[in-house]
Amino acid sequence: MSIPTHHDKFIRGILADKGIALDYFRACLPGYVLDRLDFSTLTQLPDTYVSKELRKTISDIVYSCQRKDGKGEVKISLLIEHKSYVDAYTPIQVGSYIFSGLLKQISNREKPSLIIPVLLYHGKERWEYRTLSEIFEDLDPELKGFVPDYEYIYHNLGEISDEQIQALHNKFLSASFLALKYSLLKAELENLIPTILALAGADGVESNLYSNLIVYIFESSGLDEVRILAILEKLPIKIKDRVMSTLDIFVEKGIKIGEEKGIKIGEEKGRQEEREKTARNLIKISNLSDEQIATATDLSLEHVARLRKEVEGEQPSKAYL
């Protein structure tokens, strides 16, 4: 089964950001690994260890990091695995990845460096960690030495509570994890959209990352335009404005909510701009209260109050008239 493009693209986008990747590694790597790495040297590598055949099931992002004791370098390899079913043979795929990476290092005339695979899973089904040797049934102890066994870091979002995810230091990472965790559970995702958007904006994250999250959420949700607009209407005004400004992306990129739905959302954004323009004019030329303007333009009272503050800030002071 090939990796769904929009999941792969979203995960790659957030974890290609060095700061987010650093917080991710600090959250998911065990202490005995963290204690040995100098994260001030963390660097994303431009290459990949995934072969053409392996790319059908696994996508990878590779970071290098020096050891604190100065005795070498470690490649921390984030494997993106997305499946809606449990695959008992994933340890074989991960093993293939490890040896593919080592062979690539040798072909590049590099001294082999340790590869620590991190398997990120966010599918529906329960999936337990298994090593390669566990695949072989009734294997005699004397024969286990022929199994090239290894460990990998298994990060299953389904086994982490929402409270633990929201408690992460990086709130944008929290928001992204929630979006991934519920990407295949449409009803739960719909209910969590306001929480996800609020978390994502808490750290003042780069606008491109925030926009990608918005697109990913609504693309994963499968919601029609009526439900999307209903959700937006209930959002706090600052979040709503930011999300509305991103809706152009839906139209420009032809997101899978459908062409007609994208057009209707674009039309709603146009109507919103017209209502704001009318409200601004009423603020400038009339003595109507915010409540009266809100009623006349079908904007929220908070929205009108914000527009009034903007308009008053644009007008010259009476002292200079």
Side-chain angles (χ1 to χ4, degrees), residues 211-224:
S211 298
N212 287 341
L213 175 62
I214 293 171
V215 171
Y216 178 75
I217 290 171
F218 287 113
E219 185 176 2
S220 297
S221 71
L223 295 171
D224 61 27

Side-chain angles (χ1 to χ4, degrees), residues 11 18 22 34-35 88 94 99 102 126 132 155-156 160 164 205 221 298 300 306 319:
I11 298 173
K18 182 179 176 180
L22 180 57
L34 291 173
D35 292 343
V94 176
F99 287 106
L102 292 173
R126 180 179 175 80
L132 186 60
H155 194 199
N156 185 346
I160 305 173
Q164 288 176 297
V205 71
S221 71
D298 198 27
S300 69
R306 180 177 61 78

Side-chain angles (χ1 to χ4, degrees), residues 62 279 292 308:
V62 184
Q292 291 170 319
R308 182 180 292 279

Side-chain angles (χ1 to χ4, degrees), residues 39 51 74 93 149 152 160 200 202 204 207-208 226 228 230 246:
F39 281 107
S51 65
V74 173
Q93 296 173 330
D149 220 354
Y152 57 96
I160 305 173
S207 60
N208 186 52
V226 175
I228 291 175
T246 305

Side-chain angles (χ1 to χ4, degrees), residues 152-199:
Y152 57 96
I153 310 301
Y154 180 46
H155 194 199
N156 185 346
L157 290 179
E159 295 179 348
I160 305 173
S161 71
D162 292 359
E163 291 74 20
Q164 288 176 297
I165 291 175
Q166 293 189 48
L168 291 173
H169 169 72
N170 188 312
K171 298 308 175 186
F172 183 80
L173 187 60
S174 297
S176 300
F177 277 176
L178 285 176
L180 285 165
K181 180 178 178 179
Y182 292 101
S183 60
L184 300 176
L185 303 169
K186 310 297 185 184
E188 290 88 341
L189 178 60
E190 179 179 353
N191 292 330
L192 278 170
I193 286 175
T195 299
I196 292 171
L197 293 175
L199 281 169

Side-chain angles (χ1 to χ4, degrees), residues 50-96:
V50 176
S51 65
K52 183 177 180 181
E53 184 63 27
L54 195 58
R55 199 172 293 125
K56 295 177 181 178
T57 55
I58 288 181
S59 179
D60 69 331
I61 302 171
V62 184
Y63 279 88
S64 67
C65 192
Q66 299 289 334
R67 289 172 48 173
K68 285 182 179 178
D69 58 15
K71 293 183 179 179
E73 186 177 66
V74 173
K75 304 287 174 64
I76 307 174
S77 307
L78 180 67
L79 309 186
I80 304 165
E81 180 71 339
H82 175 88
K83 290 180 179 177
S84 58
Y85 62 93
V86 176
D87 187 349
Y89 299 114
T90 293
I92 296 177
Q93 296 173 330
V94 176
S96 174

